[in-house]
Amino acid sequence: MSLVRSLILTLIGLAFTAGSLFVAFNPESPDLRLGLGCAAFFGGCTLVGASSLFVSKPPQPEPDGSTLIRGSPARSLAFALAALGFAVGATFAPQMWAEGDKVRAVIVALCGPFGLLGAVVFAMQALSSKPLYRLDRHGITAFTPRQWEMPWTAIDHFETVQVRGTRMLTIHALPEIHPRKAMFGVATVTTGASGLRFETLSGLVISYWERNRGKR
């Protein structure tokens, strides 16, 4: 997410969070459930935007030549709270269904399980001592939320994709090694809770690949 997008999301999130709290505690006609639910949802949006405003420094290589991409516990905790806020927002689904807005009710209801799942994943990252990724002369290894590894010699090319403002680096395998994965990609590398700029992370991955792809 770019700095401008992060700033806009943060400011909009703050404004809607403040408005939601006003609804919750308005002395004339308070609506505690509606106000606090919206505050939790928009507070989550605020945390996501605010956490993206601070960029981490590029990691330094380890003595053995590898580079560890670590997540920030504070940033992981912020993402976990944001995901929890989205899950709380799902409590409005029954009310929306009762009012006849069934399509939106279903969409909002889906925020519940996905929000809880995200909260668990990011909370585990905040408590874990494992890095997000390890880059060495052999290949790239990811540790969370699921572990996978890919040797440099099996990679054909990389592709940058963007989903709703978030850029990801997709790894494509050599066709003779993984025909299906060559077309659809093996996995994606994201900045996640690392706080790194996408250009920094993708540049590190590609530079390791370029130096080691011919080594077996």
Side-chain angles (χ1 to χ4, degrees), residues 20-140:
S20 300
L21 291 175
F22 176 78
V23 171
F25 300 106
N26 181 10
E28 296 182 0
S29 56
D31 192 331
L32 195 63
R33 180 174 175 273
L34 175 64
L36 292 182
C38 289
F41 178 82
F42 291 115
C45 295
T46 304
L47 283 173
V48 171
S51 64
S52 300
L53 293 174
F54 304 95
V55 180
S56 300
K57 295 181 180 179
Q60 297 300 313
E62 300 292 315
D64 62 359
S66 65
T67 299
L68 301 179
I69 311 297
R70 297 188 179 278
S72 163
R75 194 181 301 269
S76 295
L77 184 59
F79 284 177
L81 291 174
L84 195 59
F86 297 149
V88 171
T91 59
F92 293 105
Q95 180 180 344
M96 297 173 70
W97 184 276
E99 294 174 352
D101 196 353
K102 296 184 178 181
V103 175
R104 291 187 180 181
V106 172
I107 296 174
V108 171
L110 291 175
C111 292
F114 284 109
L116 289 175
L117 177 62
V120 171
V121 169
F122 284 115
M124 291 176 61
Q125 286 186 8
L127 299 173
S128 175
S129 59
K130 292 182 179 180
L132 301 176
Y133 303 100
R134 174 187 169 90
L135 311 175
D136 58 31
R137 62 189 182 89
H138 301 292
I140 176 173

Side-chain angles (χ1 to χ4, degrees), residues 150-180:
M150 190 70 181
W152 303 122
T153 54
I155 297 176
D156 181 61
H157 69 280
F158 299 90
E159 182 181 4
T160 299
V161 297
Q162 183 166 316
V163 180
R164 302 185 70 85
T166 299
R167 286 183 291 174
M168 298 175 285
L169 188 68
T170 303
I171 302 174
H172 293 263
L174 289 167
E176 60 268 26
I177 297 178
H178 293 293
R180 178 178 174 82

